[in-house]
Amino acid sequence: AGQGTARVLAHDDNALLMERAEGAASLAELARNGDDDTASRIICDVVAKLHSRRYGVSLNSVVPLDCWFRELGPAAAQHGGVLTVAAETARHLLETSGETVILHGDIHHGNILDFGMRGWLAIDPKGLKGERGFDYANLFCNPDRKTATASGRLARQIEVVAESAGLPRIRLLQWVLAYAGLSVAWTLSTGETPEIALTVAELARAELLNA
């Protein structure tokens, strides 16, 4: 993320229109340097605007959220532990989902950039539909290991995001656990070690047990 990063505005078969993020500010740097609350509030503001618009996209043209979670069940059956709880939590969330919206699908500090006079804008949407709480979950695994797993960070940002986004605290924690579990499953499938997501999943489970 940073100056010069391009954002796709529109495209057709013959042309691609791009816009560059010329601003120098970085949400990742805000979060790393003592202003995590501000970074999270900016993210919440951008996500709320995304969810309030359709941009001409039909719900029938995007992927249902439950399709993304298909890998979590088999991973939980193989590895157990917190993945089992994450899979159960994801199943509950998907079965009791509220209003369906167009989701970005990959909201994190590096995918919301400073476009100068146009403000903060999101890039790299994945094209999903589901309950809006899902879009806030990935920011808890970011912007880096040190920040995401810092003592008290998850509990603090749950409060900030729940208030800013108008989400029930428990429901948000459940989305964090479900998403972190899914991230673990994805990472394990590549043969890599899912250190950050696994820690966040454990932290979210502990917060839910104490709620």
Side-chain angles (χ1 to χ4, degrees):
Q3 188 172 6
T5 302
R7 168 179 178 255
V8 177
L9 294 179
H11 65 86
D12 58 29
D13 291 339
N14 301 308
L16 181 68
L17 176 62
M18 307 287 286
E19 178 182 3
R20 291 193 175 274
E22 300 292 349
S26 163
L27 294 182
E29 289 306 309
L30 280 177
R32 292 185 185 113
N33 292 294
D35 217 349
D36 205 8
D37 290 6
T38 296
S40 291
R41 291 185 178 112
I42 290 171
I43 290 171
C44 289
D45 181 62
V46 171
V47 173
K49 290 175 182 176
L50 290 175
H51 290 170
S52 70
R53 304 170 186 171
R54 282 289 181 86
Y55 300 98
V57 178
S58 167
L59 282 173
N60 293 327
S61 66
V62 291
V63 179
L65 191 53
D66 57 355
C67 291
W68 261 31
F69 275 94
R70 287 175 180 170
E71 293 183 49
L72 181 52
Q78 180 179 355
H79 300 283
V82 71
L83 287 187
T84 300
V85 184
E88 292 170 351
T89 301
R91 185 162 45 251
H92 165 72
L93 290 167
L94 294 169
E95 290 175 351
T96 61
S97 287
E99 180 185 1
T100 296
V101 301
I102 299 291
L103 298 167
H104 178 281
D106 193 22
I107 290 292
H108 59 76
H109 300 69
N111 270 349
I112 296 178
L113 306 180
D114 177 9
F115 279 78
M117 293 293 292
R118 282 173 47 75
W120 296 94
L121 302 174
I123 65 169
D124 197 23
K126 301 306 180 187
L128 295 172
K129 63 180 177 182
E131 186 177 306
R132 69 187 184 94
F134 173 84
D135 258 348
Y136 298 90
N138 191 20
L139 74 89
F140 293 89
C141 295
N142 283 277
D144 52 44
R145 179 183 180 279
K146 181 179 179 181
T147 305
T149 63
S151 177
R153 193 262 182 162
L154 184 138
R156 169 61 186 171
Q157 293 313 307
I158 284 290
E159 300 297 334
V160 171
V161 173
E163 179 180 1
S164 298
L167 291 169
R169 178 177 175 274
I170 298 300
R171 190 83 176 178
L172 177 58
L173 270 169
Q174 289 173 329
W175 277 117
V176 173
L177 173 55
Y179 175 82
L182 180 60
S183 182
V184 169
W186 284 338
T187 304
L188 287 173
S189 71
T190 69
E192 299 179 8
T193 303
E195 187 175 355
I196 299 174
L198 186 58
T199 301
V200 171
E202 294 284 9
L203 290 170
R205 177 170 69 168
E207 286 292 322
L208 283 166
L209 288 173
N210 292 326

